[in-house]
Amino acid sequence: MGNKTIYLDHAATTYVKPEVFDAMKPYFCEYFGNASSIYSIGRESKKAVEEAREKVAKAIGAQPREIYFTGSGSEADNWALKGIAAAYKKKGNHIITSVIEHPAILNTCKYLEGEGFEITYLPVDEDGLVSLEDVRNSIKDSTILISIMFANNEIGTIQPIQEIGAIAREKGVLFHTDAVQAVGNIPIDVEKLNVDLLSLSGHKFYGPKGIGALYIKKGVKIASLIHGGQQERGKRASTENIPNIVGLGKAIELATENMEKYNKKLIDLREKTIEGLMAKVPYIKLNGHRTQRLPGNVNFSFQFIEGESLLLMLDMKGICGSSGSACSSGSLDPSHVLLAIGLSHEIAHGSLRLSFGDENTEEDVEFILEEIPKIVSRLRDMSPLYEAVKNKQKV
Ligand SMILES: *Cc1c(COP(=O)(O)O)cnc(C)c1O
């Protein structure tokens, strides 16, 4: 007891920043009006929603009318895929994605396969990158959509989004990107990147959970996922979640203002951690691209140990990390992302993701660089496989 908590799981979720919470507060008890109502507290709500929409649009280089609020990042992903599939099914039934997408994309693709759509799952190389040649070669007459994530939630690899977008545009195919890990962490301009649809989520950049948005480029047709009233210009029904929308707007505004400073800090913490662990711990492998990766992402595989045991021992020291992703750690299957970059089941099981955030410090890094090597060697001392390797070396 008495340990300070060092939270290193910002890729799973973040805390809500006090400024964000303060901005949200008046919209619970005071300005609770329905944004569709005529009276003044309703107008206050409507105004707050439109101001938040402008902030989201500005952060990604879009027009406010191209931003649609959703109940989460997962909903934005579902809407992009199912909505485009339904709206363009007369044109074709083929969708291209990658094997390392978030389950919100992969399981939606599985669903669409059951509805008669054909999905191509592009492989990735050992760094987690899709090949532009593969993207180009897999496009056919029936292709209606390419959906490739901006940055991977487990290994942090950032895809060549602008280049993929350029290929899609040249071929007349729509391009969606799940940018849930990227927004708020790296600069994004949908116009420059040739993106037609983009998903984002508030709780990955110090906003509240249960709010996301889908950018839909002007002119792109999309079927609705939620039918009902005329909210979100008739495209996404349900009474607006005003506090969460306001929180999303505030969070994205703060993230954009502080991007440069924040990036530099995270990269510094990431690099110190990567270099420190490589120097101190033998038999480890860095997963994901060495440089083309999210500023705060570190992902290592440790030979001869179980990721789950490592996490439990880290937890005893107050360190919160993740093995693979939050979404897969409920199951015993190794991460589909780690398998896709070529790791064996055994190595994939001994993986650790640390994702840095705003409140982390150099002292946090020093502490984990003390603790992780100790924990790893303690766990390895219990491993018969490691024993065998050590004995071989002595000879
Ligand atoms: C977290 C995450 C999602 C899901 O967002 P929610 O708002 O939690 O539904 C989708 N894609 C990626 C890449 C994510 O990291």
Side-chain angles (χ1 to χ4, degrees):
M1 285 302 286
N3 273 330
K4 144 179 189 225
T5 297
I6 300 183
Y7 184 77
L8 297 173
D9 207 11
H10 295 81
T13 195
T14 59
Y15 69 98
V16 173
K17 280 200 175 166
E19 299 97 306
V20 172
F21 187 41
D22 284 343
M24 292 169 68
K25 275 182 205 163
Y27 296 94
F28 286 99
C29 303
E30 207 178 332
Y31 300 118
F32 61 87
N34 189 314
S36 307
S37 305
I38 283 293
Y39 38 77
S40 65
I41 54 165
R43 287 202 304 272
E44 285 298 331
S45 301
K46 173 91 183 136
K47 199 169 125 231
V49 169
E50 294 318 315
E51 277 169 14
R53 198 186 308 283
E54 278 166 30
K55 287 173 183 170
V56 173
K58 188 167 167 227
I60 62 167
Q63 299 299 318
R65 63 174 186 280
E66 297 173 316
I67 303 298
Y68 297 84
F69 293 114
T70 63
S72 65
S74 298
E75 186 192 321
D77 282 344
N78 270 260
W79 188 14
L81 267 57
K82 293 175 189 168
I84 293 298
Y88 289 84
K89 65 174 180 241
K90 286 218 177 69
K91 184 166 178 259
N93 73 336
H94 180 230
I95 294 171
I96 299 165
T97 187
S98 84
V99 291
I100 61 162
E101 299 294 313
H102 188 274
I105 294 291
L106 288 180
N107 288 331
T108 303
C109 286
K110 292 264 144 62
Y111 164 80
L112 286 171
E113 279 177 322
E115 296 292 298
F117 288 86
E118 183 199 349
I119 316 283
T120 297
Y121 299 91
L122 297 179
V124 292
D125 67 13
E126 58 189 12
D127 291 328
L129 288 169
V130 299
S131 125
L132 294 175
E133 273 309 293
D134 284 351
V135 173
R136 185 180 286 282
N137 293 337
S138 54
I139 296 172
K140 36 190 188 179
D141 290 342
S142 57
T143 309
I144 51 174
L145 179 69
I146 298 172
S147 179
I148 303 285
M149 72 196 319
F150 206 116
N152 186 266
N153 45 303
E154 295 186 36
I155 56 172
T157 298
I158 298 170
Q159 301 296 338
I161 292 302
Q162 185 169 13
E163 290 82 352
I164 297 170
I167 295 171
R169 197 132 305 169
E170 179 198 319
K171 299 278 189 179
V173 174
L174 293 172
F175 177 39
H176 166 254
T177 185
D178 172 350
V180 171
Q181 289 289 329
V183 171
N185 281 303
I186 46 182
I188 290 178
D189 183 329
V190 287
E191 288 295 330
K192 238 188 261 164
L193 295 170
N194 309 306
V195 168
D196 298 302
L197 301 110
L198 177 146
S199 307
L200 59 94
S201 172
H203 75 102
K204 302 290 173 78
F205 50 87
Y206 312 97
K209 298 171 190 33
I211 185 73
L214 182 64
Y215 156 76
I216 307 172
K217 192 181 173 64
K218 190 170 162 279
V220 171
K221 283 187 297 175
I222 193 159
S224 290
L225 204 57
I226 316 276
H227 297 95
Q230 288 304 305
Q231 292 89 356
E232 299 300 286
R233 279 143 293 150
K235 284 197 163 68
R236 198 270 186 182
S238 78
T239 303
E240 295 84 347
N241 185 341
I242 317 284
N244 271 8
I245 290 173
V246 169
L248 177 70
K250 186 67 188 174
I252 207 165
E253 182 180 55
L254 287 174
T256 313
E257 280 168 11
N258 300 318
M259 182 88 65
E260 211 171 312
K261 209 173 99 208
Y262 183 53
N263 261 353
K264 251 180 86 183
K265 172 184 161 165
L266 291 192
I267 290 173
D268 181 53
L269 298 177
R270 177 190 82 192
E271 290 303 303
K272 285 205 167 79
T273 305
I274 291 177
E275 280 158 23
L277 286 177
M278 301 261 242
K280 287 179 163 199
V281 187
Y283 304 109
I284 62 173
K285 179 189 175 296
L286 177 70
N287 298 314
H289 195 279
R290 182 64 188 84
T291 53
Q292 203 172 313
R293 71 190 296 139
L294 286 169
N297 174 287
V298 172
N299 188 315
F300 273 107
S301 290
F302 298 82
Q303 269 188 71
F304 316 114
I305 63 173
E306 280 284 337
E308 303 295 312
S309 327
L310 179 55
L311 285 182
L312 288 173
M313 291 183 76
L314 285 171
D315 184 44
M316 287 194 267
K317 294 284 173 186
I319 302 167
C320 314
S322 145
S323 68
S325 78
C327 314
S328 34
S329 49
S331 80
L332 283 175
D333 292 334
S335 139
H336 67 287
V337 176
L338 297 177
L339 296 181
I341 59 171
L343 301 195
S344 67
H345 279 242
E346 196 190 319
I347 306 286
H349 268 305
S351 300
L352 173 70
R353 178 188 71 185
L354 303 173
S355 43
F356 290 97
D358 214 20
E359 78 287 9
N360 294 130
T361 61
E362 303 267 334
E363 288 75 53
D364 293 346
V365 171
E366 276 160 33
F367 184 68
I368 62 170
L369 289 179
E370 284 280 307
E371 294 302 327
I372 292 177
K374 280 195 274 185
I375 294 172
V376 168
S377 66
R378 214 176 317 151
L379 288 170
R380 281 179 176 168
D381 284 345
M382 294 186 261
S383 153
L385 267 173
Y386 186 58
E387 194 61 22
V389 171
K390 267 199 327 198
N391 288 338
K392 224 198 258 164
Q393 278 184 342
K394 278 188 199 139
V395 182

